[in-house]
Amino acid sequence: MRLAVFVITGMKKIYHMANCTTSQAIIKATRIDKKEFDMQDIKFEKITAEQLDEMKKMAGSYEALFSRRALKYKELKLKDKKLEEKDYRDYILEEYTFLKRPVVIINEKIFAGSEKKTVEALKKAVQPPAPPAGGE
């Protein structure tokens, strides 16, 4: 039996690693852990092919979800190889550290990684809406 993963309006999910200080700093700064997000520690609950394929649909490519900061990136000398989309997908599914962290999904939007612009966009997305002008 195969499970299908669908993007559901109102979906709030974060893929992270509890022992990753960068992920934890972003979670703390955005207070995601206090906002009823489904949190999946990818070290202990591996991402499925279906989850990754859904992330790819939102991000546009597997490469956009691929972390070149992973230690195995250097160990496997991947910098010297020409990787295709299938390669990025396979590496992420094989080794959880190849997934950029954190990956946050809010409705139909995805935020992957810890680049400053990504974190700033995430902070804006999780902020409560501003009260209407005039105090009403």
Side-chain angles (χ1 to χ4, degrees):
M1 181 172 102
R2 295 191 74 171
L3 292 175
V5 177
F6 299 98
V7 177
I8 301 166
T9 301
M11 180 180 186
K12 298 188 328 186
K13 177 136 187 160
I14 180 167
Y15 299 89
H16 71 107
M17 282 178 43
N19 66 339
C20 173
T21 55
T22 302
S23 286
Q24 294 313 305
I26 293 168
I27 289 168
K28 184 176 180 181
T30 57
R31 299 178 49 86
I32 284 177
D33 57 331
K34 310 281 190 238
K35 298 181 192 268
E36 298 179 15
F37 274 73
D38 178 17
M39 298 182 70
Q40 181 173 333
D41 186 334
I42 62 172
K43 183 174 182 176
F44 299 106
E45 185 183 344
K46 298 212 181 283
I47 60 167
T48 66
E50 291 81 9
Q51 287 173 320
L52 183 58
D53 293 344
E54 191 61 38
M55 287 184 233
K56 184 256 186 188
K57 285 180 193 172
M58 299 173 82
S61 69
Y62 294 109
E63 183 179 9
L65 300 165
F66 185 82
S67 174
R68 289 177 173 78
R69 294 180 183 178
L71 294 176
K72 289 216 174 193
Y73 184 74
K74 290 179 184 173
E75 285 176 21
L76 298 173
K77 297 182 170 76
L78 297 180
K79 181 180 180 185
D80 302 327
K81 297 180 181 177
K82 181 168 175 20
L83 300 177
E84 304 289 330
E85 276 292 285
K86 181 188 180 317
D87 300 319
Y88 292 118
R89 182 183 188 275
D90 291 345
Y91 279 119
I92 293 169
L93 289 172
E94 180 182 312
E95 172 60 42
Y96 64 92
T97 60
F98 280 125
L99 181 67
K100 280 186 180 179
R101 298 178 307 274
V103 174
V104 180
I105 297 174
I106 304 172
N107 301 323
E108 296 84 28
K109 293 184 181 178
I110 190 166
F111 305 87
S114 59
E115 288 183 17
K116 188 175 182 176
K117 66 180 182 179
T118 303
V119 175
E120 289 304 315
L122 175 60
K123 285 179 180 177
K124 287 180 184 174
V126 298
Q127 283 179 353
E136 295 188 28

